[in-house]
Amino acid sequence: CYNYAMLISVSKTVLGLLPPLLTLLVSVGVSGVLIYFAVKLIKRQFKLYNSIRLVELKSSKLRYWAFLLLIGFFIFYLTSQIFDPEAPEREIMNAVFGMNNWEYNLTLTFAVLMCLSAALLFLSLALSKSAVVDKGIYTEFSYIDWYHVHDYIIDEDRGIVILSANKDTFQTIKGTTPPMKVAANDIPKLKFILNKNKNKFSGLDD
């Protein structure tokens, strides 16, 4: 009977540790990827900040702010659960996994850290700028040098430009940038720069 009770106790302890351990692994992996891309974007934006902008480009950031609001809600909810000793979710996790309070709090803490990493990336995207510079184009996602600018479409009525960084140009959406707004008075200048530099190194292989 003693060995059986001991086995039950150990099984409950191991089962209770599973959620925080799994959340830790997922949090470290996901947070690492999100922070990596956020840092790359921030560094790229610093380069743009120190560059001479020939033409300013803009894109809609509404979706990023919407995601930030959603992530903010999750952070608020998870944090409130950590500080609420009477939370019903705490009792459910205890009944299902036999989790103690510290295991429950640790699981939610790792989830909050993952949400904060996602918030950092989306905030970086929401605040990112796009512009044409001497050696290429900064978009909200990446930097495209002239070697990779193969074609473009400009809707002058709506003031929108779309670039293709794929050698097959607009036959595929791969390498196509999101639509970017350009001021009406900058369109002639943008056309001149793009016509001058697109396929600048077309004699070289991709």
Side-chain angles (χ1 to χ4, degrees):
C1 289
Y2 174 77
N3 290 337
Y4 179 74
M6 188 72 139
L7 181 62
I8 293 294
S9 176
V10 171
S11 298
K12 282 188 175 181
T13 302
V14 172
L15 189 62
L17 286 172
L18 275 178
L21 286 175
L22 288 174
T23 310
L24 170 63
L25 292 174
V26 173
S27 176
V28 169
V30 173
S31 297
V33 172
L34 294 173
I35 291 172
Y36 169 77
F37 283 109
V39 170
K40 278 189 70 174
L41 177 58
I42 292 169
K43 286 182 176 179
R44 200 158 48 234
Q45 287 296 302
F46 271 114
K47 288 182 180 178
L48 173 58
Y49 179 79
N50 293 315
S51 301
I52 298 174
R53 305 178 193 183
L54 302 178
V55 177
E56 293 278 357
L57 302 172
K58 295 181 180 180
S59 55
S60 173
K61 304 297 177 66
L62 185 60
R63 60 190 182 280
Y64 301 134
W65 292 113
F67 276 116
L68 277 169
L69 284 174
L70 184 62
I71 293 168
F73 168 78
F74 278 116
I75 292 174
F76 172 78
Y77 173 76
L78 293 171
T79 305
S80 66
Q81 292 299 302
I82 292 173
F83 292 102
D84 183 6
E86 304 298 328
E89 290 84 353
R90 193 181 293 267
E91 295 179 10
I92 294 171
M93 295 299 283
N94 179 266
V96 176
F97 296 102
M99 293 175 65
N100 297 322
N101 281 335
W102 71 269
E103 294 168 337
Y104 178 81
N105 291 339
L106 197 60
T107 301
L108 295 189
T109 300
F110 291 141
V112 168
L113 291 175
M114 187 164 53
C115 288
L116 287 172
S117 302
L120 174 63
L121 177 59
F122 281 109
L123 182 61
S124 301
L125 286 167
L127 298 177
S128 65
K129 305 291 184 182
S130 301
V132 178
V133 297
D134 183 51
K135 295 183 179 180
I137 300 172
Y138 286 91
T139 72
E140 60 189 48
F141 296 112
S142 62
Y143 169 73
I144 309 173
D145 58 32
W146 294 125
Y147 176 79
H148 290 103
V149 178
H150 292 280
D151 205 354
Y152 69 90
I153 294 174
I154 293 181
D155 184 335
E156 295 190 35
D157 294 330
R158 299 169 61 194
I160 290 175
V161 59
I162 301 174
L163 306 171
S164 174
N166 189 283
K167 62 182 179 181
D168 295 322
T169 64
F170 291 104
Q171 296 178 39
T172 172
I173 61 171
K174 182 181 177 182
T176 301
T177 66
M180 293 177 285
K181 295 283 290 183
V182 56
N185 58 321
D186 280 334
I187 290 178
K189 184 179 180 181
L190 179 61
K191 276 186 172 182
F192 173 78
I193 294 172
L194 290 175
N195 285 327
K196 176 184 174 184
N197 291 291
K198 75 168 186 170
N199 293 319
K200 193 171 185 179
F201 303 101
S202 58
L204 302 176
D205 292 329
D206 277 349

